[in-house]
Amino acid sequence: DVKVTQSSRYLVKRTGEKVFLECVQDMDHENMFWYRQDPGLGLRLIYFSYDVKMKEKGDIPEGYSVSREKKERFSLILESASTNQTSMYLCASSRTSGRNNIQYFGAGTRLSVL
Amino acid sequence: KNEVEQSPQNLTAQEGEFITINCSYSVGISALHWLQQHPGGGIVSLFMLSSGKKKHGRLIATINIQEKHSSLHITASHPRDSAVYICAVGPIQGAQKLVFGQGTRLTINP
């Protein structure tokens, strides 16, 4: 089974802190994604990566950066956390080749910024 | 207007009822996905389809490419089917940036 593991289920941080959210997948997938999910807004793409050291901005990249130094790991960084970044963060991965491009999701990290 | 619209937003039904959730989209797609999210956050993929119909147990997904519409049906619904069901559209191949609907919250009462 594909496993996408997010480092924390719940996280509480203070305004201005630097926050790291880690995601690891074990299926050698090329693509990895970071989303945030807010009530009434659905899933919104923050960043995605299609290869090691490659990244592209999603729909809402402001206030976030990412790092992908190894194929299996994709990190989301909040340089200076703000209260409007309180949300559920979901990581996903998928393969590029073939016709099966289903995204596999982690369990999510619920981040509260106080 | 969202590129992917789901209806209804909320649905409450009794155990055993036949459930239909609808998804309409306005962009050209190569594939449509149905996802399920249980309370607590985890999202799992139910179906990926680009034409016709797929069935898995009590779940059936259909798509009409010409009308840009898909439906997810649940037969003989059960309280364990209670979840948020999410429709998403995207390409079959490539980096697969999906566009998501807002989700339909389904509650099945015993």
Side-chain angles (χ1 to χ4, degrees):
Chain A
D1 276 353
V2 175
K3 197 165 175 76
V4 179
T5 304
Q6 295 185 228
S7 52
S8 306
R9 290 300 306 275
Y10 301 95
L11 213 49
V12 179
K13 295 292 182 180
R14 297 214 172 271
T15 302
E17 279 194 74
K18 190 168 186 175
V19 182
F20 292 87
L21 301 182
E22 304 286 343
C23 176
V24 178
Q25 51 94 3
D26 65 359
M27 279 302 290
D28 202 37
H29 284 171
E30 295 83 6
N31 306 315
M32 296 189 75
F33 308 82
W34 274 108
Y35 298 96
R36 66 177 281 176
Q37 185 180 33
D38 301 287
L41 297 177
L43 281 156
R44 293 180 293 168
L45 181 64
I46 303 172
Y47 268 97
F48 77 98
S49 169
Y50 50 90
D51 202 349
V52 175
K53 297 191 187 295
M54 306 303 288
K55 62 186 178 186
E56 280 194 25
K57 294 180 180 179
D59 300 317
I60 49 165
E62 296 78 19
Y64 303 95
S65 62
V66 290
S67 171
R68 192 162 180 205
E69 296 297 316
K70 293 185 178 181
K71 191 174 186 179
E72 67 270 19
R73 186 180 297 271
F74 192 34
S75 303
L76 180 69
I77 304 152
L78 286 66
E79 296 289 344
S80 178
S82 63
T83 54
N84 63 13
Q85 292 178 310
T86 292
S87 186
M88 169 71 93
Y89 290 87
L90 288 147
C91 174
S93 72
S94 72
R95 63 176 71 253
T96 298
S97 59
R99 292 182 65 84
N100 183 1
N101 297 108
I102 291 171
Q103 289 192 15
Y104 297 86
F105 285 82
T109 296
R110 190 167 294 281
L111 173 68
S112 296
V113 183
L114 306 178
Chain B
K1 189 181 187 317
N2 293 330
E3 292 176 313
V4 181
E5 295 273 0
Q6 288 184 235
S7 63
Q9 290 190 16
N10 293 282
L11 179 56
T12 300
Q14 291 300 120
E15 183 173 357
E17 286 189 43
F18 182 81
I19 303 299
T20 296
I21 299 170
N22 296 300
C23 176
S24 296
Y25 53 92
S26 58
V27 296
I29 70 164
S30 296
L32 182 141
H33 301 250
W34 281 103
L35 308 159
Q36 180 191 57
Q37 184 176 30
H38 278 287
I43 295 176
V44 295
S45 177
L46 298 174
F47 295 104
M48 183 182 78
L49 65 166
S50 53
S51 64
K53 178 166 109 172
K54 286 191 176 180
K55 185 175 190 290
H56 182 68
R58 295 180 294 106
L59 272 59
I60 303 165
T62 64
I63 188 169
N64 185 318
I65 296 293
Q66 287 73 28
E67 295 187 4
K68 295 187 175 177
H69 181 269
S70 175
S71 293
L72 177 69
H73 305 286
I74 305 174
T75 62
S77 59
H78 190 275
R80 66 175 174 266
D81 297 324
S82 298
V84 175
Y85 292 85
I86 302 169
C87 171
V89 300
I92 286 180
Q93 294 190 349
Q96 200 193 19
K97 285 173 65 175
L98 296 179
V99 180
F100 294 85
Q102 292 187 350
T104 295
R105 183 175 299 278
L106 174 65
T107 303
I108 304 296
N109 293 320

